Amino acid sequence: MKKLTVYLKDYRKESVLAPLFKMLEALFDLFVPLVVAAIIDRGIAGGERSYILQMCGLLVLLAAIGLTCSITAQFFAAKASVGFAAKLRQALFDHIGTFSFGTLDTLGTNTLITRMTSDINQVQNGLNLALRLLLRSPFIVFGAMIMAFTIDFTCALVFVVAIPLLCVVVFGIMLVSIPMFRKVQAGLDKVLGITRENLTGVRVIRAFNKEESEIGEFDQRNETLTSLQKFVGRFSALMNPVTYVIINVATIVLIQQGALKVQMGSLTQGEVVALYNYMAQILVELVKLANLIISITKALACASRVEKVLEVEPGMVYPESGTVQGRTAVKAANGAEQGMSAPEPENSVRQTGNGAGVTFRDVTFTYEGAGAPSLSEISFTAKSGQTIGIIGGTGSGKTSLVNLIPRFYDVQEGTVMVDGRDVRSYAKGELLGLIGVVPQRAALFEGTIRDNMRWGKEDATDEEIWQALSVAQAKEVVEGKNGQLDFHLEQGGRNLSGGQKQRLTIARALVKKPRILILDDSASALDFATDAALRKAIREMEGSATVFIVSQRTSSIRYADRILVLDDGKLAGQGTHEELLETCEVYQEIYYSQYPDKR
């Protein structure tokens, strides 16, 4: 929680004024029993009606001042807690945005969503209550004890015994409850996980008629969470009855002692009533404090969970700018690597264009927690302006390979170089400024088509957008929509077909005119004619970017300058289509499985 207090620094004034006004309210509340005692002992006993009216007016005045202080305290507490939660949520969102793909894979989406929403809401509520009641309730409790001593020393000793016992109960239950509430939030993560999985995969669930199975699994996890919440709730519920027992026993002793002293004449009836009122105030405040402790316990558990995410290192270190020494060293290494590489056929190299060269040198990559490498000892060179096709069986490492180019992951061994520089020498955002990525799963965002197209280039003109749409074979898609570029896309592009979404995501990558274009199986929903037209348009694009095409179809990568064939994370072969048909068994197997009549 200490690390989170930094987000309260802009609300220091509110954080001080809220408890201050609450203590002022409490101070006026402490005078009420004395006023009531005076009414009984002097007004009622002496029959002084005017004095009774005066004291009643004083009680009304104390109530009005207390109400004003309470409303003011609530305002400042709300302002501080809401502002704190807003800053914390923004900081958490920004921090999550810095995570590498590996870190996100490790943490999981479900727990991050829970911590961003439920956990921060709990922290906000806990802070609001703490600013209003955390000082007020103890102030009333100990203030009532002190006021009791001003009335009668012997009777006040009852308070001295009762209050420490109450503190032991309250704080003992709090210490035991904190780890329990952490387990509750972890259980909520699991329920959220299966809910999210079911919502995103609802079509698959229905296609395989697995509704009953998924409902059963959800019921199981939900029941586990419910049982845990019930257990924590029962334990926390002990606080109220135990505190009531202690307070009521203390009240009985107090009334007994007070009655004896009234009979002896050493204590008035009004003073006994005042002592009883102070004990009643303690009871009320301890009930509030008990509920406050439960809320603060939840808030502390949730704050700890949020804090743990903020403590997670992004996973990748970026230099402030590419160092000259780094560039020189990498270029030298790149030259040595090219010297080791097998000579490329002359007809496979396009010497013109503004694309960036890419070199993999002895690259080995393993996902976090994986038992074996996804890529092993991969080496190849893609020259500027070339088109590189990547093909292989399912799970052969195609996507893993292209994800290393924009540095979505860091390699464990070897070097990935872009434009003669190690990708790790690029400043944050500098590398991605050169690369346009079209992922396997088309991802569009709620907003207009124009807004989505400008993700790569904020100042892109409509002319540039239409040009990119034309190359991506998406021009007729947009022209057929009401409003065209102003057509509103729903979240995830739900109001588009799979092929339309793929073409728009390709156009979005093309708008920024990248030097390297990565198409990660991004034409799987396109028919062969559209796929062929797309590849032709990309080849004829002005600027000739270096293009990486990941595909399951040999027709999609057949005319690439170089084809990389992956098999179980290893480079089974590289070369042109004709060369691979002669030398690579894996490529032959893939090709002839798709064109059996060519055997």
Side-chain angles (χ1 to χ4, degrees):
M1 187 66 182
K2 291 181 181 179
K3 291 186 178 180
L4 302 186
T5 54
V6 67
Y7 302 107
L8 262 178
K9 66 180 181 180
D10 293 334
Y11 300 96
R12 291 172 182 167
K13 180 182 69 175
E14 289 81 0
S15 300
V16 171
L17 290 176
L20 178 62
F21 275 98
K22 268 297 178 181
M23 284 196 292
L24 284 174
E25 177 199 358
L27 183 63
F28 290 115
D29 286 348
L30 289 174
F31 288 120
V32 170
L34 295 180
V35 175
V36 172
I39 292 174
I40 294 172
D41 290 339
R42 179 177 170 181
I44 296 176
E48 299 182 23
R49 183 172 297 180
S50 60
Y51 183 79
I52 294 174
L53 294 175
Q54 289 177 4
M55 291 299 101
C56 287
L58 180 60
L59 287 176
V60 172
L61 178 63
L62 289 174
I65 296 174
L67 177 63
T68 303
C69 292
S70 178
I71 293 172
T72 305
Q74 176 62 61
F75 170 78
F76 287 123
K79 185 177 180 181
S81 59
V82 171
F84 165 80
K87 287 183 177 294
L88 178 59
R89 191 177 289 110
Q90 184 65 54
L92 184 60
F93 183 83
D94 293 344
H95 187 62
I96 291 172
T98 66
F99 288 167
S100 66
F101 280 24
T103 304
L104 290 172
D105 293 343
T106 302
L107 292 176
T109 307
N110 308 318
T111 185
L112 293 177
I113 292 175
T114 304
R115 297 183 198 209
M116 178 76 71
T117 53
S118 175
D119 285 350
I120 291 183
N121 285 339
Q122 290 281 8
V123 174
Q124 176 184 326
N125 293 335
L127 178 62
N128 191 326
L129 290 171
L131 290 176
R132 291 190 292 118
L133 300 177
L134 190 60
L135 292 181
R136 183 190 189 281
S137 293
F139 183 80
I140 287 283
V141 170
F142 289 101
M145 182 178 69
I146 292 171
M147 297 300 287
F149 273 104
T150 64
I151 296 173
D152 185 82
F153 181 84
T154 306
C155 290
L157 292 177
V158 176
F159 292 79
V160 175
V161 175
I163 289 175
L165 288 175
L166 292 168
C167 291
V168 170
V169 171
V170 169
F171 289 103
I173 291 177
M174 182 186 73
L175 291 175
V176 176
S177 298
I178 287 179
M180 291 184 181
F181 281 116
R182 287 178 186 161
K183 291 180 180 179
V184 168
Q185 291 301 112
L188 184 61
D189 285 347
K190 294 179 180 179
V191 172
L192 177 62
I194 192 171
T195 304
R196 184 172 181 272
E197 191 176 54
N198 273 263
L199 290 174
T200 55
V202 62
R203 288 180 175 85
V204 178
I205 292 170
R206 290 180 180 174
F208 285 89
N209 195 27
K210 300 290 287 184
E211 291 95 336
E212 295 299 325
S213 173
E214 291 300 315
I215 290 172
E217 185 177 354
F218 179 84
D219 286 344
Q220 181 182 356
R221 294 195 184 186
N222 191 36
E223 185 61 35
T224 301
L225 175 62
T226 304
S227 300
L228 186 58
Q229 286 178 317
K230 285 181 178 178
F231 179 76
V232 178
R234 290 191 190 102
F235 186 79
S236 299
L238 289 174
M239 192 175 296
N240 279 352
V242 173
T243 52
Y244 268 101
V245 168
I246 295 174
I247 284 292
N248 282 303
V249 169
T251 302
I252 292 170
V253 174
L254 179 64
I255 292 174
Q256 181 189 27
Q257 293 293 323
L260 292 174
K261 285 185 173 289
V262 169
Q263 288 182 347
M264 294 169 59
S266 60
L267 203 64
T268 65
Q269 292 178 343
E271 289 173 333
V272 173
V273 172
L275 288 171
Y276 174 78
N277 284 338
Y278 282 127
M279 187 63 75
Q281 280 187 342
I282 291 175
L283 174 61
V284 171
E285 290 304 320
L286 283 172
V287 170
K288 289 181 182 178
L289 186 61
N291 295 325
L292 172 65
I293 292 299
I294 293 172
S295 297
I296 289 179
T297 300
K298 292 180 181 178
L300 289 174
C302 293
S304 176
R305 284 162 50 83
V306 174
E307 192 173 42
K308 285 180 180 178
V309 176
L310 291 172
E311 290 174 350
V312 174
E313 295 296 329
M316 287 187 178
V317 179
Y318 295 89
E320 292 185 4
S321 61
T323 60
V324 175
Q325 295 86 348
R327 296 185 194 184
T328 304
V330 171
K331 282 184 178 179
N334 187 24
E337 148 57 19
Q338 291 186 30
M340 295 187 298
S341 299
E344 297 178 287
E346 293 182 4
N347 60 1
S348 71
V349 180
R350 277 202 296 256
Q351 300 294 345
T352 60
N354 298 320
V358 176
T359 299
F360 274 56
R361 188 176 64 187
D362 298 326
V363 168
T364 296
F365 169 69
T366 307
Y367 286 103
E368 186 74 26
S374 297
L375 296 171
S376 300
E377 299 179 353
I378 303 294
S379 295
F380 70 89
T381 297
K383 293 184 178 180
S384 173
Q386 283 189 318
T387 296
I388 306 297
I390 303 174
I391 196 168
T394 303
S396 59
K398 302 184 296 297
T399 297
S400 300
L401 188 147
V402 294
N403 279 341
L404 297 178
I405 299 172
R407 202 190 172 195
F408 290 156
Y409 296 92
D410 271 339
V411 299
Q412 282 76 36
E413 298 177 20
T415 307
V416 179
M417 288 176 272
V418 170
D419 211 13
R421 291 171 55 187
D422 191 319
V423 293
R424 289 166 290 196
S425 72
Y426 282 88
K428 190 172 185 180
E430 184 184 1
L431 178 62
L432 289 174
L434 307 175
I435 302 172
V437 180
V438 185
Q440 280 181 309
R441 184 178 179 183
L444 294 171
F445 299 88
E446 185 177 2
T448 64
I449 292 177
R450 182 184 286 105
D451 292 338
N452 274 269
M453 293 300 104
R454 285 178 172 170
W455 270 62
K457 186 180 181 183
E458 293 182 359
D459 58 348
T461 63
D462 285 1
E463 182 182 353
E464 290 175 315
I465 293 173
W466 281 113
Q467 183 181 2
L469 290 169
S470 180
V471 173
Q473 310 303 301
K475 185 176 180 181
E476 68 277 9
V477 174
V478 179
E479 287 177 338
K481 301 297 181 184
N482 293 329
Q484 297 188 354
L485 290 178
D486 292 319
F487 177 74
H488 189 82
L489 299 178
E490 295 182 7
Q491 185 180 15
R494 290 194 302 264
N495 50 344
L496 296 176
S497 68
Q500 290 173 339
K501 286 193 286 187
Q502 282 194 340
R503 282 180 276 178
L504 286 179
T505 53
I506 293 170
R508 181 178 58 195
L510 293 174
V511 166
K512 67 186 291 188
K513 297 178 180 176
R515 297 181 63 192
I516 297 174
L517 177 64
I518 298 173
L519 304 175
D520 184 7
D521 204 12
S522 53
S524 58
L526 304 184
D527 58 79
F528 284 94
T530 305
D531 185 17
L534 170 65
R535 286 183 280 108
K536 181 182 177 183
I538 290 175
R539 283 199 304 271
E540 295 173 352
M541 256 191 333
E542 183 182 354
S544 297
T546 304
V547 181
F548 287 83
I549 301 175
V550 176
S551 180
Q552 300 283 358
R553 303 173 182 171
T554 54
S555 60
S556 297
I557 50 96
R558 179 172 181 171
Y559 298 103
D561 296 312
R562 169 169 288 199
I563 300 171
L564 307 179
V565 184
L566 294 177
D567 182 33
D568 196 23
K570 295 182 180 179
L571 196 58
Q574 59 177 309
T576 63
H577 170 72
E578 291 77 14
E579 291 171 344
L580 291 171
L581 277 180
E582 294 178 2
T583 61
C584 183
E585 292 183 5
V586 176
Y587 189 77
Q588 291 170 3
E589 182 180 346
I590 296 172
Y591 178 75
Y592 290 126
S593 68
Q594 297 175 7
Y595 298 96
D597 57 321
K598 298 291 185 180
R599 285 185 179 273

